[in-house]
Amino acid sequence: MQSNANATPEPAIAAGMVRPNDATNSPLRADLVMQSTGTSDRVFALREGRTTIGRDGRCDVRIPLPRISPQHCEIVLENRRATLFSRDEDLGTLLNGKVISEAPLAHDDEVSVGPVTFRVMLDNTGDAAID
């Protein structure tokens, strides 16, 4: 059996552009921070796949207010990307103050669902904490 101790690494690794355990192998970490006045913010960790937001008790993030529809919107984390989908045309979902039906999310975006505003916190580094 031959040893690979003297094997030449791939050019991208040798150049320091890619590390063998690079963050691209780890899932995207994402949180929604519900911004509140006078109380501490609430943080909702988003999981890989679909996270639903609405008034319905089956939603992952439940907001029991009349100006929120039962299935208001959802966020999909997939392939290290976060996408916001509005599910209510009448009440609408805002991304950075603009009505959307579907839009990619970026770190520090603001998502408004009725009277509630969330700040999007994304971590693409694979670190355990989100700043």
Side-chain angles (χ1 to χ4, degrees):
M1 181 175 229
Q2 287 187 331
S3 170
N4 287 335
N6 295 325
T8 303
E10 293 181 36
I13 293 172
M17 298 180 336
V18 178
R19 294 182 308 274
N21 292 321
D22 195 83
T24 57
N25 294 326
S26 63
L28 173 68
R29 285 193 23 111
D31 290 333
L32 282 182
V33 180
M34 181 187 288
Q35 300 176 314
S36 305
T37 305
T39 62
S40 60
D41 295 340
R42 290 186 60 192
V43 178
F44 300 90
L46 302 178
R47 66 180 186 281
E48 189 77 14
R50 189 173 310 276
T51 298
T52 56
I53 302 169
R55 191 177 67 229
D56 191 291
R58 294 171 291 190
C59 287
D60 301 301
V61 178
R62 185 168 181 263
I63 307 170
L65 297 173
R67 290 180 35 204
I68 308 290
S69 65
Q71 299 283 323
H72 202 99
C73 62
E74 61 190 27
I75 296 174
V76 176
L77 296 182
E78 188 174 73
N79 299 322
R80 298 191 48 76
R81 291 191 171 99
T83 307
L84 174 65
F85 296 90
S86 182
R87 296 297 180 223
D88 187 301
E89 293 179 17
D90 296 329
L91 295 176
T93 301
L94 302 178
L95 176 61
N96 299 321
K98 296 180 181 173
V99 177
I100 60 95
S101 58
E102 176 182 338
L105 290 173
H107 181 71
D108 221 27
D109 277 347
E110 282 191 355
V111 174
S112 297
V113 180
V116 179
T117 299
F118 297 95
R119 179 149 320 269
V120 177
M121 306 304 283
L122 299 179
D123 180 15
N124 287 307
T125 66
D127 291 341
I130 299 176
D131 293 330

